[in-house]
Amino acid sequence: MRKKETITSLKAAKGERKLVMLTAYDALFASLFRESADMLLVGDSLNMSFLGEPDTLSATLDQMIYHTRAVCNGAPESFVVCDMPFGTTNTPGQALENAVKVFQQTRADAIKIEGGQERSALIEHLTDNAIAVMGHVGLMPQSVRSEGGYKVQGRDEKSFQKTLDDAVAVEEAGAFALVVEGVVPDLAAKITETVSIPVIGIGAGRQTDGQVLVWSDMLGLFEAFTPKFVKKYMNGAEAIKEAVAQYAQEVRNGAFPGEEHCYK
Ligand code: KIV
């Protein structure tokens, strides 16, 4: 069994070993991922791939708490991060109240908050109150409606500098690690060399301190669309459809259950 990561071991990993983060939404899959991943993220992406909503904005705190409890149950020795959903961290007071709920109702080790400079006072308030915070800058899915789409950051000088400043502000506010999503690789590299906390990339190139992927994407289960940055490590959708089709066929033709599946 692998040793549980801590804030200290994760911070110490910077420059020493690449960090592996994977999303997880339930106990069953978390128990399958725990051996290989350093951190499990209960991402609000579950609202899309699990609930079938078109974006993450309608995810609720109760929903995140429910799934985080499941992940903690399935992988008790994993470092688990709970994503704070849209609208639950608008003010320092609201953010602390909701983060405390997450810590009291689950065994999550940390929360994740999307946002940069505009969130730094709020992140500081949380870290001052014993809440471990992972930041998230660059492309922020919770801003999809206000931004008018999912926009890769860092292609122009203004967004390059803004995202870099966001990353620095989040570190200064006390975050222990940072997700950088949907940015050009040069920007991710610049952030990684500038901040002293581990930078976990998604759609951010190769020069970060670690990577995160959404589990249903990397297992080839989510068929609606495949972002450029996703590598499918298996064709899960095909494998599952084939297995279910075989089960259906065997029920219909009487091949299942066989003798070996019947009680004596
Ligand atoms: O919600 C999520 O799964 C995330 C990852 C994409 C980083 O925030």
Side-chain angles (χ1 to χ4, degrees):
M1 196 182 292
R2 74 188 346 260
K3 199 162 168 262
K4 183 169 175 149
E5 299 285 352
T6 62
I7 301 282
T8 309
S9 68
L10 293 167
K11 280 177 152 177
K14 190 170 176 98
E16 298 294 325
R17 61 185 165 109
K18 290 271 190 184
L19 291 171
V20 179
M21 186 159 83
L22 187 60
T23 65
Y25 307 147
D26 63 44
L28 178 61
F29 279 92
S31 74
L32 301 177
F33 303 157
R34 63 185 173 176
E35 204 52 44
S36 300
D38 298 309
M39 287 179 275
L40 296 178
L41 168 66
V42 188
D44 61 357
S45 53
L46 64 82
N47 204 50
M48 297 169 76
S49 57
F50 201 86
L51 201 65
E53 293 286 340
D55 59 34
T56 61
L57 273 70
S58 55
T60 65
L61 191 67
D62 284 347
Q63 198 182 330
M64 297 310 298
I65 286 174
Y66 174 88
H67 286 277
T68 302
R69 286 182 68 173
V71 169
C72 293
N73 287 342
E77 72 292 343
S78 290
F79 189 96
V80 175
V81 182
C82 170
D83 217 357
M84 296 303 279
F86 180 70
T88 60
T89 56
N90 289 345
T91 63
Q94 184 202 28
L96 183 58
E97 192 180 320
N98 286 329
V100 166
K101 255 188 214 161
V102 170
F103 270 33
Q104 288 184 334
Q105 294 180 28
T106 78
R107 279 172 281 131
D109 297 282
I111 58 163
K112 177 168 82 61
I113 292 187
E114 289 185 18
Q117 295 153 84
E118 76 289 358
R119 291 294 176 96
S120 61
L122 183 148
I123 293 173
E124 199 170 336
H125 186 57
L126 292 171
T127 55
D128 282 351
N129 283 282
I131 305 289
V133 177
M134 174 179 274
H136 182 152
V137 302
L139 185 159
M140 292 178 271
Q142 290 176 12
S143 304
V144 61
R145 297 189 200 166
S146 62
E147 288 286 317
Y150 297 104
K151 298 198 175 131
V152 173
Q153 301 296 309
R155 286 187 168 141
D156 59 84
E157 211 176 300
K158 194 170 158 217
S159 85
F160 191 104
Q161 192 57 50
K162 184 195 174 297
T163 308
L164 181 57
D165 293 345
D166 281 345
V168 170
V170 168
E171 175 184 24
E172 283 173 355
F176 74 94
L178 184 62
V179 167
V180 176
E181 177 168 2
V183 304
V184 295
D186 282 356
L187 172 54
K190 182 75 184 164
I191 292 172
T192 304
E193 79 178 37
T194 304
V195 300
S196 63
I197 53 176
V199 173
I200 313 297
I202 175 164
R206 308 171 59 196
Q207 293 179 64
T208 53
D209 300 308
Q211 298 286 332
V212 56
L213 280 177
V214 171
W215 72 274
S216 43
D217 287 341
M218 58 85 72
L219 295 182
L221 292 168
F222 190 61
E223 291 186 294
F225 60 90
T226 307
K228 179 178 169 59
F229 58 82
V230 169
K231 177 170 176 181
K232 291 188 180 183
Y233 284 84
M234 66 182 284
N235 192 340
E238 275 315 306
I240 288 175
K241 282 188 220 170
E242 262 174 42
V244 174
Q246 190 181 345
Y247 164 66
Q249 189 187 26
E250 291 188 5
V251 170
R252 289 182 183 121
N253 68 18
F256 176 82
E259 265 315 300
E260 68 276 28
H261 306 116
C262 299
Y263 292 115
K264 298 262 186 296

